[in-house]
Amino acid sequence: MASAGIKPSTMRAVQYSSYGGSGASLKFVEISVPSLKKDQVLIKVEAASLNPADYKVQQGMLRPFVPKFPFVPVTDVAGEIAEVGSAVKEFKVGDKVVAALKFWKAGGLAEYVAASGSLTVLRPDGVSAAEAAGLPMAGLTALQALKAIGTQFNGTGSGSNILITAASGGVGTYAVQLAKLGNHNVTATCGARNVELVTSMGADEVLDYKTPEGAALNNSSGKKYDYIVNNAKGGKWSEFKPTLSSRGRVVDVAPPSFGNVVAWILTRFTKKKLSVFLMSLTMGELRFLLDLVKEGKLKTVIDSQHPFEKAAEAWDKCLSGHTTGKVIIEI
């Protein structure tokens, strides 16, 4: 194994030891720096990005299987390689990278983390650690949801009339930008304070979800949507269906309600459809997103950046459910 200088034996990390709670449940600890398996890399973490899935695991979403306590949370990190496993050939010590950690193991809220070489990609020059850390879960979700409706990103697509809900969130901010790269006509929903931001990302029309028009998902042209990418918790098939074109489809990115799961099953046999979406960690697609960021075609919208010492503050910010873009912890 190759390593940079003398690797410390211990490191600071943030962990929690039970289900439930909030940022107050996060505790700083001194633990051993991870030992590497042959197919792993050791990353000196520079930035970690929080996702709703992080606090949902804390709340018991996968109880009793995940996590194993005590648990160091957070899956999306960017940093510098400090050591490489003997079977890793793609990376060397000193490489700047971004990695997606396995959610049942996590480990991102720490000074060092062991990541699978197959779930790590090089970070292009000019892309900051914070920008890159925001991409794995939220960026891939947005990209794959748009690919699921046939979006082309090479300028050849004819585009469709689409609606993106909760467009000012982590997934939504990426989805609006990517949808415009795919030549779609985009209507987006968000809160009043973020209308200007979402418009600046390219949305053709932005609806305040608290207005009558926004609540009904009705755009000013009266056109039906060919596709809806739903990021909003609580979005219902019964609300989406009247706004769809004759063969319209909803891609439900938000955690599906019971009603939407039923709709997913029943609409397999109808013209209007709802499909439940699950993101997969595909590193080729992550490289594609990083290249878009480098080229200035995609931006990571950052709600706030917090020093490691204020990880609990960042956690509670994410837990509030009202962030604009990504919450980043700098380590």
Side-chain angles (χ1 to χ4, degrees):
M1 294 188 182
S3 61
I6 299 174
K7 184 182 71 173
S9 59
T10 63
M11 65 178 184
R12 288 191 307 158
V14 169
Q15 65 183 28
Y16 57 85
S17 300
S18 62
Y19 291 114
S22 59
S25 301
L26 303 181
K27 305 298 180 185
F28 276 93
V29 293
E30 190 84 10
I31 59 176
S32 298
V33 171
S35 298
L36 291 187
K37 296 179 180 178
K38 63 180 182 180
D39 60 348
Q40 292 181 320
V41 295
L42 184 69
I43 299 173
K44 187 178 189 300
V45 181
E46 297 172 352
S49 170
L50 301 186
N51 293 290
D54 295 317
Y55 66 75
K56 288 175 183 174
V57 168
Q58 182 195 33
Q59 292 172 338
M61 178 178 70
L62 300 172
R63 182 193 304 225
F65 306 104
V66 176
K68 180 180 178 182
F69 298 119
F71 185 66
V72 178
V74 180
T75 60
D76 294 0
V77 298
E80 181 177 317
I81 291 185
E83 185 179 357
V84 296
S86 60
V88 175
K89 308 302 180 185
E90 311 95 290
F91 305 107
K92 64 182 185 300
V93 171
D95 281 344
K96 297 290 188 177
V97 295
V98 56
L101 308 176
K102 295 174 181 177
F103 72 89
W104 60 92
K105 293 184 178 179
L109 275 191
E111 292 177 316
Y112 291 87
V113 68
S116 169
S118 63
L119 296 177
T120 303
V121 300
L122 289 170
R123 193 171 89 224
D125 292 340
V127 178
S128 72
E131 290 173 313
L135 285 169
M137 186 171 290
L140 287 174
T141 297
L143 179 67
Q144 291 172 14
L146 287 162
K147 280 189 169 184
I149 64 174
T151 305
Q152 302 292 322
F153 300 99
N154 57 8
T156 62
S158 58
S160 300
N161 194 38
I162 76 170
L163 171 69
I164 297 173
T165 63
S168 60
V171 175
T173 50
Y174 287 128
V176 170
Q177 296 174 79
L178 290 168
K180 292 308 298 178
L181 288 176
N183 294 332
H184 292 304
N185 182 277
V186 177
T187 301
T189 69
C190 65
R193 67 186 178 92
N194 290 317
V195 167
E196 185 176 343
L197 169 70
V198 176
T199 301
S200 73
M201 292 188 298
D204 298 281
E205 183 172 359
V206 183
L207 305 174
D208 175 358
Y209 73 92
K210 290 187 177 180
T211 64
E213 295 79 11
L217 308 177
N218 292 329
N219 57 59
S220 59
S221 70
K223 289 183 179 179
K224 301 290 187 179
Y225 303 112
D226 300 306
Y227 302 102
I228 297 174
V229 177
N230 176 51
N231 303 295
K233 180 181 178 181
K236 299 177 182 178
W237 170 243
S238 59
E239 298 169 346
F240 299 138
K241 184 178 178 181
T243 70
L244 289 172
S245 61
S246 60
R247 292 184 176 273
R249 177 183 169 194
V250 176
V251 178
D252 197 7
V253 172
S257 63
F258 176 76
N260 284 2
V261 171
V262 172
W264 172 44
I265 297 169
L266 295 181
T267 60
R268 293 183 180 187
F269 310 102
T270 62
K271 291 180 179 180
K272 295 183 180 183
K273 298 183 182 298
L274 180 144
S275 56
V276 174
F277 174 85
L278 290 175
M279 183 271 289
S280 59
L281 293 173
T282 309
M283 294 302 99
E285 291 180 328
L286 183 54
R287 292 187 191 95
F288 173 72
L289 292 173
L290 285 162
D291 286 342
L292 289 179
V293 174
K294 180 181 179 180
E295 294 164 8
K297 296 178 180 178
L298 183 68
K299 177 182 178 181
T300 295
V301 176
I302 296 176
D303 175 280
S304 52
Q305 293 175 258
H306 305 257
F308 193 28
E309 292 73 16
K310 294 188 176 181
E313 177 184 281
W315 193 268
D316 286 338
K317 178 77 172 176
C318 189
L319 188 61
S320 74
H322 295 289
T323 58
T324 302
K326 300 296 298 178
V327 175
I328 304 294
I329 297 175
E330 297 175 313
I331 299 174

